[in-house]
Amino acid sequence: MKNIYLFSEGNGLGKLILGGKGANLVEMKRIGLPIPNGMVVTTTACKNYFESKNSLSREMIEEIDVAIEKLQKETKKSFEGENSLLVSVRSGAPVSMPGMMDTILNLGLNDIAVQRLIQKTKNEKFVYEIYLRFIEMFSEIVKGIPREKFVKVKKFSNGKSEKEIVEIFKNIYWIETGEFFPENPKEQIKMAIESIFNSWNNERAKIYRQLQGIDESMGTAVVIQEMVFGNYNELSGTGVAFTRNPSTGENLLFGEYLLEAQGEDIVAGIRTPNSIQSMRNQLPKIYDEFSEIGKLLENHYGDMQDIEFTIENGKLFILQTRSGKRSPNAAVKIAVDMVKEGVITKDKAIMMIDTELLPQVFNGTFEESDLAGKKLLGKGLPGSAGVAVGKVALSTDMVKEGESVILVRVETSPEDIKGMSLAKGIVTVKGGATSHGAVVARGMGKCCVTGCESIKIDCSEKFFHINGEKIYEGDIISINGYNGEIYKGEVKLKKGEISEELKELLEWCKEFKKLEIRMNADTPSDVLVGREFGAEGIGLCRTEHMFFEDEKIWSVREMIIANTKEEREKALEKLLKLQKIDFKNMLHKMDGMPMNIRLLDPPFHEFLPKNEKDINKLAQQLKKTSLEIGTRIKELKEENPMLGHRGCRLAITFPEIYEMQARAIIESAIECGYEGSSCEIEIMIPFIGGISEFKYIKEGILKEIEKVFKEKQKTISYKLGTMMELPRACLIANEIAEESAFFSFGTNDLTQTTYGISRDDSIKFIDHYKAKNIMKRDPFQSIDTRGVGKLIELAKELGQSVKPDIKIGVCGEHGGDPKSIEYFNELGFSYVSCSPFRVPIAIVAAAQSAIQKRMG
Ligand code: PEP
Ligand code: MG
């Protein structure tokens, strides 16, 4: 295989060989666009260079010479002759790598070529300008000589001729390198190629590749292209433009250009460029030609393009085209518009959406331009997507309705629900991605930063310290739930919305996706949000969350604190009424859609009163002394509540609790008019670890439901099943499947118990694991397919071996994570369930994985 291809020779070789830039230039040449001639030194040549201990082999050098000969013929120009050939040399990896070396312009110039060019152009100023620029760029990029050395000379060279400055420049090169500046154009080109190859291994590039997961062995190509000059005369210029507006997606050229300038002048910001729209009046013909080319390239590549161009003496040249970077809003609009314009198909449009960035479309973002100069106070974890600005409140009592407040807590507990629902955003010092704060905030669609351990709240609860700053209650902070950043003061917000385009895109996704997308909904308002976003059912209704609100928590406390069966039954009677109101409300809003209700799973520490005031209140309510209540709380205190008396274990000790809940569910459904087999109610038992445990609880629930049927003289269909959230349950999934109508993987607890890492404490060390590359991703955010996944797959296999059509879904936080969704789709699950605000992301991710799977 050759090492070098002229643009006219490289058809069909693709990005891996020619690099992104090279492949696009070859393609543009093939479809007849006006691009300057050139050639590509391939990535294979780069690999050969590394294999020959970073030197160009004899054969390579011969190939370069032959290719240069051909290029001279093609351009009808030469390095030695009258009609001088000048070239640019650029790096061009198969994937865009902004951390790598950039461009060297005007190679081929030397003292003789300069004289010939002056004679030809009669423009000495222009020729010296490009000569100086060349020496400066070459010295900096090939030899690493700081550019300031040249800039200084230019600044203090009043009265010196350009020719004299050239000499000074060359002198700098000689002093810095001990070598003469290379006069031979072929030598210049070889040195530039070597330096680009070497830049593949510079520190910046290596770090960038590591961060982006780019294959180290790919190597870079080098593009060598005939120069065209935007600074040639007043009919010349240069610019960069997107074929559509990258911020809004509007279908109108967006970009800028400068007359009498070379490419880097635009980036350097020395002169203010004109908007590309003003070219309509200034250079109408060029504008029309450029627009037409833009449309052609969009159609050709099926995507919005970012195009670099130069106009030389009134003639337009395209120097580069690539898919344009765009805001998440623009991405949705562009994808949908392009389908309507017939440029791309619906599946391509869906694949164009970056699900990681999608939340910004409906949750809003910071105004990027407003971030400059803002003080970054610290960083926690991205707990729940969104951005928020408000006054700091350090307790729920300080969150006042109607005010913009950020609630900052060490960790959140059910008492904070009111404050959380009123606050604009939440920050916690402790806790990871599946901690109470994050789960509840996500459910509310509230921006949340968790695990910001650099915050030290003062015991007076009037201020906190963070990285040397003291922030008082009432001070304004701005928080970013996408990346965990916390800023001092106000950062302007850009509001999000579910645009018409996004709605349309979500509808298209439904045509492709296989997974059902359900929501984790605990309240009627969750249901409304989730349905608006396209949820197809409830995958998890955490009944303990239904008690977080208002006074309901006191009835739960009463039940937990109860010393005797009678006391508990009294508390349960109250709870039955409250539960029925909630269930009926939700059943109405669900309108017959599947609804999975999980029976109580309250880690006690989340519910028990923590302060004196609450203990006294509970004592009063139960007509007991505070001491009695305090003693009972001590008795109930667990060393490790997340592995303690929770979930179904509660129902082994107090079967009446689940029985009450089952009654509440069935009575509510019947009273709501649900009938017979059309009813899709699923009752789910959490934290099952053994089959006898499950059978015992199931028996009690079935008996209670039969009683209800008798009392009501009516029956309805329902399913009774279990969560799979303990490794033991997965290992005996065949036994469990005998008894269970469905499996719903609780991947939060399954991750916690498989790794033996506490959901609430992982924050303290997971970041270190990630930083040291020991873990690639936080397993609480993205499913660990190798370990936790092995249990899931085993459970699925065992379960299906006894019940082939058993319904299998996921209701842990992973149900809203695109990478995990792809995995669950691969496994052929029936549904994933996630917080209502993540439903659109799950819909797109499910469609993408289905399309991907179809493509193989
Ligand atoms: C889980 O463990 O994945 C789950 C959904 O239950 P919870 O988060 O309520 O423990
Ligand atoms: Mg769980």
Side-chain angles (χ1 to χ4, degrees):
M1 196 184 208
K2 291 208 304 176
N3 285 298
I4 306 175
Y5 292 87
L6 260 66
F7 293 165
S8 50
E9 299 170 340
N11 286 345
L13 285 175
K15 285 184 180 180
L16 276 180
I17 303 286
L18 300 174
K21 203 173 286 166
N24 282 351
L25 282 163
V26 164
E27 191 59 9
M28 285 197 284
K29 175 91 184 168
R30 190 182 71 76
I31 58 176
L33 293 186
I35 61 157
N37 290 303
M39 57 199 199
V40 186
V41 185
T42 63
T43 54
T44 324
C46 177
K47 288 177 211 166
N48 291 341
Y49 172 81
F50 293 141
E51 270 167 27
S52 334
K53 298 200 176 77
N54 290 11
S55 68
L56 295 174
S57 64
R58 177 115 308 277
E59 299 80 62
M60 254 299 284
I61 293 173
E62 276 167 18
E63 256 193 83
I64 294 174
D65 290 341
V66 171
I68 288 176
E69 286 309 317
K70 282 196 204 165
L71 185 65
Q72 295 192 114
K73 270 203 191 116
E74 205 170 60
T75 57
K76 300 194 180 64
K77 291 179 181 174
S78 79
F79 287 126
E80 286 88 23
E82 282 295 292
N83 204 0
S84 297
L85 173 64
L86 301 184
V87 295
S88 66
V89 177
R90 302 168 196 231
S91 63
V95 286
S96 161
M97 282 191 49
M100 278 184 60
M101 67 158 288
D102 24 33
T103 305
I104 310 174
L105 301 177
N106 313 332
L107 279 94
L109 279 174
N110 52 32
D111 291 347
I112 301 167
V114 160
Q115 290 316 318
R116 273 201 302 264
L117 215 58
I118 293 173
Q119 254 179 23
K120 189 181 154 214
T121 60
K122 313 274 181 284
N123 189 345
E124 187 169 332
K125 182 175 166 289
F126 158 73
V127 175
Y128 272 110
E129 191 181 304
I130 61 172
Y131 194 21
L132 287 173
R133 191 171 282 205
F134 163 55
I135 301 174
E136 194 177 316
M137 278 179 149
F138 189 93
S139 308
E140 185 193 22
I141 290 170
V142 178
K143 290 292 177 186
I145 304 171
R147 198 174 260 213
E148 299 83 69
K149 295 203 183 240
F150 300 97
V151 175
K152 251 193 220 154
V153 172
K154 271 199 236 160
K155 215 167 164 185
F156 301 107
S157 60
N158 271 352
K160 287 207 167 59
S161 72
E162 261 108 2
K163 208 172 168 181
E164 284 167 321
I165 301 176
V166 165
E167 283 318 307
I168 300 174
F169 271 25
K170 284 188 179 169
N171 224 6
I172 295 177
Y173 185 93
W174 183 77
I175 291 167
E176 293 285 330
T177 62
E179 298 163 14
F180 290 114
F181 190 83
E183 294 277 329
N184 180 342
K186 287 183 184 163
E187 188 56 29
Q188 293 169 359
I189 290 175
K190 281 171 206 156
M191 287 172 78
I193 293 173
E194 284 186 298
S195 129
I196 289 183
F197 285 164
N198 291 335
S199 75
W200 177 255
N201 285 326
N202 72 29
E203 225 26 55
R204 271 182 311 164
K206 273 190 185 165
I207 293 172
Y208 185 82
R209 281 199 295 274
Q210 224 168 44
L211 288 174
Q212 301 292 318
I214 297 171
D215 183 1
E216 278 291 314
S217 67
M218 213 155 36
T220 182
V222 180
V223 173
I224 299 168
Q225 193 172 23
E226 177 190 0
M227 284 296 305
V228 281
F229 292 99
N231 54 346
Y232 185 63
N233 59 17
E234 69 282 7
L235 286 177
S236 306
T238 186
V240 183
F242 292 84
T243 49
R244 298 177 193 230
N245 187 313
S247 305
T248 64
E250 189 190 6
N251 189 0
L252 188 68
L253 282 179
F254 178 92
E256 40 199 22
Y257 74 107
L258 265 177
L259 288 182
E260 291 188 78
Q262 270 197 311
E264 57 153 18
D265 295 332
I266 296 233
V267 193
I270 301 160
R271 284 164 56 196
T272 311
N274 305 312
S275 127
I276 195 92
Q277 286 306 317
S278 62
M279 200 197 252
R280 271 177 197 266
N281 298 326
Q282 208 170 14
L283 302 165
K285 269 210 181 114
I286 300 274
Y287 180 88
D288 288 346
E289 191 188 354
F290 184 73
S291 309
E292 217 169 281
I293 290 175
K295 280 284 150 247
L296 198 144
L297 284 171
E298 266 199 354
N299 282 326
H300 189 75
Y301 288 107
D303 198 4
M304 182 261 255
Q305 297 294 297
D306 167 358
I307 306 172
E308 281 178 27
F309 64 93
T310 284
I311 308 156
E312 186 186 72
N313 199 19
K315 181 168 167 33
L316 174 67
F317 291 93
I318 305 297
L319 300 186
Q320 185 180 328
T321 190
R322 58 184 166 191
S323 283
K325 296 234 179 311
R326 63 209 76 178
S327 75
N329 291 301
V332 173
K333 179 165 167 50
I334 290 171
V336 172
D337 284 354
M338 284 184 130
V339 171
K340 290 187 178 163
E341 292 159 22
V343 180
I344 54 172
T345 50
K346 287 179 185 173
D347 51 350
K348 166 113 202 248
I350 293 166
M351 294 310 286
M352 275 163 73
I353 303 301
D354 183 342
T355 46
E356 293 293 332
L357 301 180
L358 196 54
Q360 296 186 21
V361 176
F362 44 91
N363 286 320
T365 50
F366 281 148
E367 235 6 301
E368 199 62 37
S369 56
D370 200 42
L371 272 177
K374 291 278 160 21
K375 166 112 188 147
L376 179 66
L377 290 171
K379 203 163 177 222
L381 286 178
S384 172
V387 281
V389 177
K391 288 184 198 167
V392 169
L394 293 171
S395 70
T396 284
D397 293 344
M398 294 306 288
V399 187
K400 301 280 180 275
E401 204 157 355
E403 283 186 358
S404 295
V405 170
I406 307 289
L407 179 63
V408 181
R409 304 281 289 153
V410 172
E411 60 198 332
T412 57
S413 66
E415 282 111 329
D416 291 314
I417 296 296
K418 183 142 180 261
M420 290 174 81
S421 71
L422 292 177
K424 292 277 181 221
I426 299 125
V427 176
T428 68
V429 179
K430 291 189 187 168
T434 58
S435 64
H436 177 271
V439 170
V440 175
R442 236 171 275 151
M444 291 175 171
K446 282 248 149 107
C447 161
C448 173
V449 172
T450 52
C452 184
E453 301 222 315
S454 46
I455 290 182
K456 309 280 175 241
I457 299 181
D458 186 77
C459 56
S460 68
E461 298 215 334
K462 292 275 178 281
F463 61 88
F464 64 80
H465 288 282
I466 177 166
N467 296 322
E469 288 269 345
K470 200 170 177 183
I471 305 291
Y472 285 91
E473 232 174 4
D475 287 353
I476 305 270
I477 58 169
S478 304
I479 63 172
N480 184 340
Y482 302 112
N483 60 13
E485 285 176 353
I486 302 175
Y487 288 88
K488 189 174 178 176
E490 178 180 344
V491 181
K492 283 205 187 82
L493 304 184
K494 201 151 94 190
K495 258 184 92 182
E497 59 161 0
I498 290 256
S499 60
E500 287 308 311
E501 284 86 5
L502 180 55
K503 279 189 195 149
E504 193 150 10
L505 186 96
L506 291 174
E507 281 308 311
W508 296 344
C509 286
K510 290 180 187 164
E511 294 170 23
F512 294 92
K513 72 179 183 58
K514 296 277 179 287
L515 280 168
E516 186 179 307
I517 308 299
R518 295 195 185 184
M519 58 181 143
N520 292 356
D522 313 323
T523 63
S525 61
D526 287 350
V527 172
L528 290 181
V529 175
R531 287 197 61 178
E532 168 81 18
F533 283 162
E536 296 158 294
I538 293 180
L540 173 65
C541 169
R542 292 178 165 103
T543 50
E544 67 281 2
H545 284 200
M546 296 173 118
F547 298 121
F548 280 167
E549 281 178 340
D550 314 321
E551 292 301 300
K552 287 183 213 160
I553 194 167
W554 294 98
S555 306
V556 180
R557 284 178 173 159
E558 200 178 318
M559 176 193 75
I560 296 175
I561 287 286
N563 264 321
T564 63
K565 194 161 184 221
E566 290 69 43
E567 280 178 3
R568 189 165 311 103
E569 273 171 359
K570 217 170 105 204
L572 283 172
E573 221 169 282
K574 281 193 213 164
L575 283 175
L576 175 71
K577 286 195 192 121
L578 294 172
Q579 286 259 269
K580 278 183 67 178
I581 296 171
D582 285 339
F583 288 148
K584 280 185 179 176
N585 220 330
M586 288 182 70
L587 284 164
H588 274 306
K589 302 243 165 9
M590 285 306 289
D591 227 1
M593 281 183 160
M595 178 161 166
N596 180 312
I597 302 168
R598 182 185 71 188
L599 304 184
L600 269 181
D601 178 13
F604 281 171
H605 67 298
E606 283 188 14
F607 277 88
L608 288 171
K610 290 192 181 64
N611 54 43
E612 222 178 292
K613 196 174 116 209
D614 287 349
I615 292 177
N616 293 342
K617 185 171 169 179
L618 190 61
Q620 246 178 4
Q621 185 179 321
L622 299 178
K623 298 194 178 55
K624 292 192 175 194
T625 64
S626 299
L627 185 67
E628 281 173 301
I629 299 291
T631 312
R632 181 75 181 129
I633 289 176
K634 271 198 200 124
E635 277 168 24
L636 288 170
K637 189 178 167 344
E638 293 179 302
E639 290 307 326
N640 200 345
M642 287 305 264
L643 297 177
H645 196 188
R646 60 173 284 210
C648 65
R649 296 167 193 171
L650 199 70
I652 298 290
T653 345
F654 311 122
E656 55 277 17
I657 296 177
Y658 279 10
E659 285 158 21
M660 174 282 285
Q661 286 198 291
R663 171 175 283 276
I665 294 167
I666 301 296
E667 281 187 4
S668 302
I670 292 176
E671 286 165 28
C672 280
Y674 277 66
E675 273 182 63
S677 58
S678 64
C679 178
E680 289 212 57
I681 286 185
E682 296 163 3
I683 300 175
M684 180 154 80
I685 303 177
F687 234 60
I688 285 291
I691 188 62
S692 310
E693 187 184 42
F694 186 56
K695 275 185 178 163
Y696 175 83
I697 294 167
K698 184 176 167 184
E699 202 183 311
I701 290 175
L702 292 186
K703 261 194 204 143
E704 190 69 18
I705 292 177
E706 279 310 311
K707 269 197 231 164
V708 179
F709 287 160
K710 266 211 187 100
E711 287 161 23
K712 295 271 180 196
Q713 294 287 303
K714 237 186 193 162
T715 61
I716 55 165
S717 70
Y718 66 93
K719 289 192 178 81
L720 184 68
T722 175
M723 288 189 79
M724 300 297 278
E725 49 185 348
L726 294 176
R728 189 170 191 282
C730 295
L731 297 171
I732 56 158
N734 48 331
E735 293 176 34
I736 294 180
E738 301 268 7
E739 299 292 332
S740 183
F742 58 83
F743 285 170
S744 174
F745 284 94
T747 45
N748 304 333
D749 276 314
L750 191 57
T751 302
Q752 169 168 257
T753 47
T754 303
Y755 268 97
I757 293 178
S758 148
R759 289 160 68 162
D760 295 317
D761 297 315
S762 63
I763 169 71
K764 290 198 165 57
F765 48 87
I766 293 258
D767 268 359
H768 293 274
Y769 275 70
K770 284 203 295 192
K772 293 178 181 162
N773 227 355
I774 295 168
M775 268 183 192
K776 279 219 157 51
R777 287 187 295 267
D778 181 343
F780 287 102
Q781 283 172 354
S782 205
I783 197 81
D784 155 50
T785 53
R786 291 180 53 218
V788 179
K790 211 173 241 175
L791 280 170
I792 294 176
E793 286 167 38
L794 176 70
K796 173 182 170 270
E797 203 177 297
L798 289 175
Q800 286 176 337
S801 71
V802 294
K803 206 176 260 176
D805 56 351
I806 188 165
K807 190 163 201 156
I808 303 181
V810 175
C811 65
E813 292 304 298
H814 301 88
D817 166 64
K819 270 236 153 302
S820 314
I821 290 173
E822 191 183 333
Y823 174 69
F824 300 131
N825 182 64
E826 270 308 306
L827 292 183
F829 279 15
S830 302
Y831 69 88
V832 291
S833 188
C834 57
S835 78
F837 290 87
R838 282 198 80 81
V839 165
I841 297 149
I843 292 176
V844 177
Q848 287 182 342
S849 42
I851 294 167
Q852 198 80 48
K853 196 170 174 181
R854 199 187 57 189
M855 292 190 314

